[in-house]
Every structure is written in C-alpha cells, then in structure tokens.
Amino acid sequence: MNYEILWAFSLATAALAIFPGPDNIFVLTLSIVHGKKYGLATTAGLISGCLVHTTLLAFGVSAIISLNPMLFYTIKLFGALYLFFLAFRVMRSDARLDLEMNGRPKKTLWQLYRQGFIMNVLNPKVTIFFLAFFPGFLFSDYLSTTLQFYILGFLFMIISFTIFALIALLAGSISGYLQTHRGAPVFLKWLQVLVFAGIGLYLLLSYK
C-alpha cells in the first residue's frame, strides 16, 4: 500500500471540501438562517449520497480495468482534463458569495437529511467528479480495485463530513469573516483554481 497516495488524496479532499461550492455554501447559509442542527442534517444527507456514487464507481470502473487497462488510463486522462475544465470554470466565475436565504421555510431534520441525500444522488456532476478524481489515487497493487475505491470513498466521506460539520458549527464566525474581509472570496476563488489545476496535473503525471 502506498500511504503517500492516501495522504495526497486526503489533502486534496480536504482542500476541495473547504473551498466555496454549492454544497458547503448551502450548508453555511442554512446554518446561519435556521441553526446549526439544520446544517448538520443537510450535511449528513449530502455525505450519505456519496456512498451511491462510490458504489457506481467501484463496480463500473473496476469492470473496465479488468477488461481493458488502456481504457482505464484513458479515464484517468479524462479526469485530468475535467479538473482543468473545473479550474477554468472557477476562474471565469464571479468571486462573490451569496449568503442570503430569506424566505425559505424550515423543514424537519429528516426532511433536510432526505433533501441533501437526493440533491447529491441525483446530481450527475458528482458522479463525473468521482470518475475524474478517484482513479488517479488507487494506492495498492494487491488490494482489489473495488475495495480501494470503497476505501477512498469512505475516506472522502469522513473528511468531507468533518469539514462540512465544522462549517455548520462555525457558520456565524465564517459568515462574519467573509462579510468583513471582502478580499477573502477572491483569494478562495483563485486558491480553488490552483487546487483543481494541481490535482489535474497530478493525474497527468501519474498517467502511465
């Protein structure tokens, strides 16, 4: 097992979870407006949905590897190009963060969990992202690729849940910081560009 690859995967996952995106901004605004427990319920739903995408990836890509290793390397190349595309899209996007959520009614914790789960599972961009991100971080020549994808998936879920939960718990402080430091969204935007481009470059360099 190559623990350096697992460490790199963990750092990349943490960076992606921290930077502003639709999911963590939704958790942040929900926590600000309705309270921390509502943000945590949504977080639990969002992260649970990742298990579905991990399962699709584990069995689908593992089958591809067993049938055609060259096709697997093509998937890794696609992953690098997709991450470069994400970096370009973030670069072209507006750096402002909308933290307003006025007028949205409260829901029960179960409804928020279910909403987060459905939001994640029905988002094809998550499946595409997993397909682009995970194959470049297979870490063992002895473990089955299916098991490795599940290990990466659970690692991704644990790290993402921890960071999203912290965002929910510290919602007020984070919101106050972003509102008083106007340059923070711009800094985070360009840091996110570097992370996407960096992971894409890693996948290219790991391509054999």
Side-chain angles (χ1 to χ4, degrees):
M1 291 177 61
N2 191 326
Y3 291 101
E4 291 183 0
I5 294 178
L6 286 175
W7 179 244
F9 177 84
S10 300
L11 289 177
T13 298
L16 292 170
I18 291 171
F19 296 136
D23 289 343
N24 53 18
I25 292 298
F26 181 67
V27 169
L28 175 61
T29 52
L30 197 64
S31 301
I32 293 170
V33 176
H34 297 307
K36 298 177 178 60
K37 63 181 181 180
Y38 291 90
L40 290 173
T42 302
T43 295
L46 289 168
I47 300 304
S48 296
C50 292
L51 185 58
V52 175
H53 297 287
T54 299
T55 299
L56 293 174
L57 177 70
F59 287 97
V61 176
S62 295
I64 289 174
I65 294 173
S66 63
L67 293 175
N68 191 336
M70 184 55 65
L71 184 56
F72 171 67
Y73 293 131
T74 302
I75 290 176
K76 290 178 64 177
L77 179 60
F78 154 78
L81 294 177
Y82 180 69
L83 289 165
F84 288 141
F85 165 75
L86 292 179
F88 176 76
R89 191 174 65 177
V90 172
M91 184 175 63
R92 295 290 302 273
S93 67
D94 193 340
R96 292 178 299 177
L97 298 179
D98 182 13
L99 299 179
E100 299 295 329
M101 191 186 282
N102 297 324
R104 295 196 181 188
K106 284 190 176 181
K107 298 181 179 180
T108 66
L109 297 180
W110 166 249
Q111 287 174 326
L112 286 171
Y113 173 86
R114 185 175 59 188
Q115 176 179 316
F117 179 81
I118 293 173
M119 281 174 56
N120 186 287
V121 170
L122 297 184
N123 186 353
K125 292 181 180 179
V126 179
T127 301
I128 294 173
F129 177 75
F130 274 36
L131 180 62
F133 185 47
F134 280 35
F137 291 93
L138 293 176
F139 54 89
S140 175
D141 293 329
Y142 304 102
L143 297 177
S144 70
T145 53
T146 300
L147 179 58
Q148 289 183 70
F149 279 132
Y150 269 112
I151 291 173
L152 292 175
F154 281 114
L155 192 58
F156 182 92
M157 292 167 64
I158 292 169
I159 294 171
S160 298
F161 179 83
T162 301
I163 292 175
F164 276 38
L166 287 174
I167 290 173
L169 294 173
L170 301 174
S173 300
I174 294 173
S175 174
Y177 181 85
L178 292 176
Q179 290 173 2
T180 55
H181 295 75
R182 299 298 181 182
V186 176
F187 173 78
L188 290 173
K189 168 188 170 178
W190 287 102
L191 202 56
Q192 188 176 21
V193 170
L194 290 176
V195 169
F196 277 132
I199 297 173
L201 184 61
Y202 171 86
L203 293 181
L204 282 181
L205 293 177
S206 67
Y207 181 80
K208 298 178 182 180

